[in-house]
Amino acid sequence: VPMGVDLDRILSPGLIARRLPQWNDQPVIAYLGSLDALRRLDVLIDMLCELHRRGRTNIRLLLIGDGSSAADTDMLRAHAEQLGLSHAIHITGWLPGAAAWALLKGADLAISPIPRGPLLDVSSPTKLLEYLALGIPCIGNDSPDQVEVLTTSGAGVLCQLTALELADRACELLDDLPAARRQAATGLDYIRQ
């Protein structure tokens, strides 16, 4: 059975895009979901470091979610601090669905990193489908389900789960956001089908 999302809730007219006030004028890359260590989200912080190294120091990373333990989020914060990026990331903690989707909808692009391996290769990430339903330009890695969804829908881009490849895809999307948004808009039809 294909994974799906509740379109009545996610497309509610009351769901208004929202940005963090301190990031109103900066490009925002978002992630929605679990921040557990097994998700290897340190690669997103490494991607942000690579983007800043390339001179894109205004880009921000929004992590919408939380870990199963405080140690998971502490590890991400420590990694960002070690790289001098504490000012450029924000972890929201768990939020109600509508609040999370509003922040997601306010982002410029979203990433669905799913580490490869026996445990997660059989998963169907809900986050990717939520990104598509909201029409957000997105990047997914070569997880089997994500390859199927993004290849069939044509609504996002794929890459390997490395900081360099994620940074390359983020630059491509951010460099032509109007085209990326047109591509992402095809995702809703895929979700409806």
Side-chain angles (χ1 to χ4, degrees):
V1 176
M3 178 64 78
V5 295
D6 184 341
L7 289 178
D8 289 338
R9 289 185 61 219
I10 205 166
L11 298 178
S12 165
L15 184 67
I16 307 298
R18 185 172 86 77
R19 287 176 86 100
L20 297 176
Q22 67 271 30
W23 291 356
N24 270 335
D25 299 327
Q26 289 140 335
V28 175
I29 299 173
Y31 165 86
L32 173 68
S34 169
L35 304 185
D36 290 348
L38 84 101
R39 298 287 177 172
R40 292 192 38 222
L41 297 178
D42 55 314
V43 75
L44 297 184
I45 296 170
D46 293 340
M47 171 206 66
L48 184 64
C49 184
E50 174 63 19
L51 290 167
H52 282 222
R53 188 191 67 72
R54 294 179 186 186
R56 295 170 179 258
T57 57
N58 62 336
I59 295 177
R60 301 297 182 249
L61 178 62
L62 178 62
L63 302 175
I64 306 167
D66 211 341
S68 298
S69 72
D72 294 331
T73 52
D74 289 346
M75 180 189 69
L76 291 171
R77 286 187 178 99
H79 189 56
E81 185 174 339
Q82 180 183 28
L83 295 174
L85 294 170
S86 295
H87 69 286
I89 72 159
H90 181 79
I91 298 173
T92 65
W94 292 119
L95 297 173
W101 292 330
L103 282 172
L104 189 57
K105 194 172 179 177
D108 294 293
L109 63 98
I111 298 182
S112 180
I114 307 296
R116 297 297 313 272
L119 179 63
L120 296 176
D121 271 0
V122 296
S123 70
S124 295
T126 307
K127 69 178 67 41
L128 182 63
L129 302 181
E130 291 171 324
Y131 300 167
L132 295 183
L134 289 168
I136 300 167
C138 62
I139 303 167
N141 68 293
D142 62 337
S143 162
D145 189 69
Q146 294 196 133
V147 169
E148 170 67 26
V149 169
L150 290 178
T151 301
T152 303
S153 71
V157 296
L158 289 161
C159 69
Q160 301 294 311
L161 188 55
T162 68
L164 291 177
E165 285 205 30
L166 288 167
D168 287 344
R169 297 300 85 72
C171 288
E172 289 169 11
L173 293 174
L174 291 170
D175 284 348
D176 193 352
L177 266 178
R181 288 183 178 126
R182 284 191 301 277
Q183 179 182 12
T186 66
L188 182 55
D189 285 341
Y190 173 82
I191 298 298
R192 283 191 170 122
Q193 291 171 12

